[in-house]
Amino acid sequence: MASQVHLPYFDQILALLKDQNQEAIAAFGRHVHWGYWEDPKRADGTLPDFANATEQLSRKVCDAGNITDGLKILDCGCGFGGTIASLNERFSNLELVGVNIDERQLERARSQVQPLNQNAISFVCADACNLPFEDNSFDVVLAVECIFHFPSRETFFQEAHRVLKPGGHLAICDFVPLKISLPLMQFLDKFLQSSVQKTYGLVQSNFSLSTYQTLAQTTGFIPRITEDITRNTLPTYPLVRQLCRQNGAAETAKITAGAELVSKLGITRYLILSFEAIDPY
Ligand SMILES: C[S@@+](CC[C@H](N)C(=O)[O-])C[C@H]1O[C@@H](n2cnc3c(N)ncnc32)[C@H](O)[C@@H]1O
């Protein structure tokens, strides 16, 4: 088993779930990521509306991965298995594998997600940058709002390429700074690093779209989809800030407000990206 990483905000969420906190269950019991609102003006600030929006974001990333019945799919950084649960409900004859570096989250995933529709499901504790799977063994690799926590995007792309069959798809979503914003992000990182570390854990927001394109080229991928959904995610921020404040996580609320500001100013964009693996030979 990989040496585990326990992110501070997951310590908080797990404690709330253990106490049967109904708001935490509604907001983060299935998906732990931002929401997607087709029309953000219609977001109503309620927990059911947020839960629906997180499901929509998960589906958008899966759509970018070209998922159809019968595929073998790896969800890296799978959290409580929300994306696997969604695929399990919507498709059949899938082989679904969730990977996470925190065994506590996988325990919840295993208890929450039971196979339906002739699907097979397993959850494995491992580092997404050191995958315990054979070469050419998956049709799709997903990483829903987690790549910024991984030790290295380069190593993750190499690993994703190794385990994907040629023609397979990698689909992710990430907070991507504009190239001209990178020096500002580095500056902010210097001052906020210890607060971010204490709340969200390791967060590396230093990859622009052009860096992604270069990375894809050097690791055997062709970029397929780039979708900017920043404005569709914005209703997430007030809701997450409010939940943090209600549950004594004032510092997490402050960092979330900072992330909201850089998103609203267009310094960082929320992107869905997908790539097709090409055979290097
Ligand atoms: C924002 S959560 C997203 C969870 C899930 N993808 C979802 O959408 O609900 C980030 C996830 O990345 C996981 N993670 C962080 N570092 C990881 C690593 N090196 N390998 C695998 N998972 C990792 C965390 O444990 C956490 O579950």
Side-chain angles (χ1 to χ4, degrees):
M1 193 191 280
S3 55
Q4 299 198 31
V5 176
H6 290 173
L7 297 165
Y9 68 104
F10 267 96
D11 293 343
Q12 291 163 350
I13 293 171
L14 283 160
L16 292 169
L17 294 179
K18 195 170 169 213
D19 289 347
Q20 294 293 317
N21 179 298
Q22 293 306 307
E23 291 190 332
I25 292 171
F28 298 123
R30 173 165 158 125
H31 298 288
V32 185
H33 57 236
W34 278 192
Y36 173 91
W37 287 263
E38 188 64 42
D39 179 358
K41 285 194 217 92
R42 297 179 75 115
D44 66 11
T46 64
L47 290 173
D49 181 56
F50 176 61
N52 181 52
T54 60
E55 173 68 19
Q56 296 317 311
L57 187 132
S58 179
R59 290 183 183 207
K60 294 276 299 176
V61 180
C62 293
D63 289 349
N66 269 10
I67 291 176
T68 55
D69 290 340
L71 298 186
K72 185 166 175 187
I73 298 163
L74 176 64
D75 183 21
C76 291
C78 67
F80 298 135
T83 295
I84 295 220
S86 170
L87 291 170
N88 183 38
E89 289 155 13
R90 297 185 296 123
F91 294 91
S92 64
N93 297 298
L94 298 178
E95 205 174 324
L96 293 160
V97 182
V99 155
N100 206 325
I101 195 116
D102 180 348
E103 178 61 30
R104 302 169 307 170
Q105 295 176 44
L106 294 177
E107 279 165 23
R108 178 175 172 84
R110 289 187 195 103
S111 72
Q112 295 288 311
V113 192
Q114 308 307 325
L116 305 167
N117 308 323
Q118 291 85 51
N119 297 317
I121 301 179
S122 58
F123 291 103
V124 177
C125 192
D127 183 343
C129 292
N130 186 16
L131 294 169
F133 307 112
E134 287 180 10
D135 297 1
N136 299 339
S137 51
F138 288 93
D139 300 292
V140 180
V141 173
L142 305 170
V144 181
E145 205 173 293
C146 48
I147 196 167
F148 47 81
H149 285 313
F150 296 170
S152 154
R153 285 179 178 80
E154 289 84 349
T155 314
F156 173 64
F157 265 59
Q158 286 160 3
E159 278 294 82
H161 189 273
R162 182 183 66 72
V163 302
L164 274 171
K165 299 172 190 167
H169 288 85
L170 167 64
I172 68 168
C173 51
D174 192 12
F175 301 93
V176 179
L178 290 184
K179 201 171 177 184
I180 50 161
S181 315
L182 285 173
L184 174 65
M185 291 303 285
Q186 269 162 10
F187 176 78
L188 291 175
D189 189 47
K190 232 176 168 172
F191 285 96
L192 297 175
Q193 202 178 39
S194 82
S195 289
V196 174
Q197 191 73 42
K198 272 191 263 164
T199 53
Y200 282 104
L202 172 70
V203 175
Q204 305 190 81
S205 306
N206 54 355
F207 240 68
S208 68
L209 185 55
S210 66
T211 329
Y212 263 117
Q213 282 156 350
T214 306
L215 176 63
Q217 210 174 22
T218 54
T219 50
F221 287 102
I222 302 173
R224 286 294 181 215
I225 292 173
T226 301
E227 187 177 357
D228 183 346
I229 59 162
T230 313
R231 60 179 277 281
N232 308 90
T233 63
L234 291 178
T236 304
Y237 292 94
L239 193 130
V240 169
R241 279 192 280 110
Q242 188 189 339
L243 282 174
C244 290
R245 277 196 305 268
Q246 278 168 5
N247 291 290
E251 190 144 7
T252 314
K254 264 192 229 157
I255 296 297
T256 308
E260 179 175 12
L261 186 64
V262 292
S263 293
K264 280 188 167 165
L265 293 175
I267 292 168
T268 289
R269 295 174 298 163
Y270 194 113
L271 301 185
I272 292 179
L273 300 169
S274 80
F275 307 88
E276 183 176 336
I278 48 171
D279 195 339
Y281 305 109

